[in-house]
Amino acid sequence: HKTNSKKVKEDGGLAKLKETDEFRQRNVLLRKKKRALGARIREQDNVQAAEVAEIRKRHQKNLEQLRLQFQENLKDLEDNYKTKVKDLESALELQRGVEIHEMEERKNMHINDLIRNHKKAFGQIKRYYNTITMDNLQLIKALKK
């Protein structure tokens, strides 16, 4: 029984050493894998960071192109509306000139009507007083005779 227990102790010690050795080997292997995975993750992070930077660079470039395009469109619209405003201003100026000319024509016609009416009235009054004067002169001649 003592030999058996000695043998069991020896076998147990050997098994323990073997298990400890296997544990250390597994532990070393797992640490290597962990380091390799860590390095791989860092490498992937660097690759992804580079991709993100490239995407951001392309987006910035696209944004600048859109900005330039919008600025050109804005300038075109401003020029177009400035032209329209100038055309409208010249049309309104022409219309104003026509309206002023029409008003002056109406004013001149009214003045001419007033002058004609005045001459007509003056002529009637002149004839009336001339008739009275002639009648009075005839009456004076008739009374002198």
Side-chain angles (χ1 to χ4, degrees):
H1 181 43
K2 246 185 182 186
T3 48
N4 233 359
S5 114
K6 205 178 193 187
K7 183 155 169 99
V8 168
K9 279 187 183 179
E10 282 178 16
D11 286 345
L14 284 176
K16 184 178 177 187
L17 284 176
K18 186 178 176 183
E19 281 296 319
T20 306
D21 189 40
E22 285 177 10
F23 173 76
R24 283 187 189 134
Q25 287 176 357
R26 251 186 288 135
N27 210 0
V28 167
L29 181 65
L30 289 175
R31 283 185 187 151
K32 285 181 182 179
K33 284 183 180 180
K34 183 178 176 183
R35 274 187 239 120
L37 287 174
R40 193 167 146 201
I41 287 172
R42 284 188 296 277
E43 182 182 324
Q44 287 177 348
D45 283 346
N46 291 338
V47 168
Q48 288 176 352
E51 287 175 359
V52 167
E54 181 63 30
I55 290 171
R56 284 187 178 164
K57 187 177 176 181
R58 278 186 281 146
H59 284 228
Q60 188 64 29
K61 186 176 179 179
N62 288 341
L63 185 62
E64 281 299 316
Q65 288 175 346
L66 285 174
R67 220 178 252 135
L68 287 174
Q69 182 181 0
F70 285 132
Q71 286 176 349
E72 287 175 11
N73 289 346
L74 176 65
K75 186 179 181 323
D76 290 344
L77 284 174
E78 285 176 345
D79 292 343
N80 187 16
Y81 282 106
K82 282 179 183 178
T83 302
K84 285 183 181 180
V85 166
K86 285 180 183 179
D87 291 345
L88 287 173
E89 284 175 348
S90 64
L92 286 174
E93 185 63 30
L94 180 63
Q95 182 181 355
R96 186 180 70 86
V98 168
E99 288 175 357
I100 289 172
H101 181 69
E102 288 174 355
M103 269 193 266
E104 287 176 351
E105 286 293 319
R106 285 194 305 267
K107 177 190 78 165
N108 290 336
M109 285 174 43
H110 184 66
I111 289 171
N112 289 336
D113 285 344
L114 289 174
I115 290 172
R116 253 191 326 270
N117 290 339
H118 176 73
K119 284 181 180 179
K120 183 179 176 184
F122 184 74
Q124 287 174 348
I125 290 174
K126 187 176 173 183
R127 278 193 304 278
Y128 173 76
Y129 283 111
N130 280 339
T131 304
I132 292 175
T133 304
M134 291 300 259
D135 288 344
N136 286 340
L137 284 174
Q138 287 177 357
L139 183 61
I140 293 172
K141 280 185 186 179
L143 288 177
K144 275 188 181 180
K145 288 188 179 175

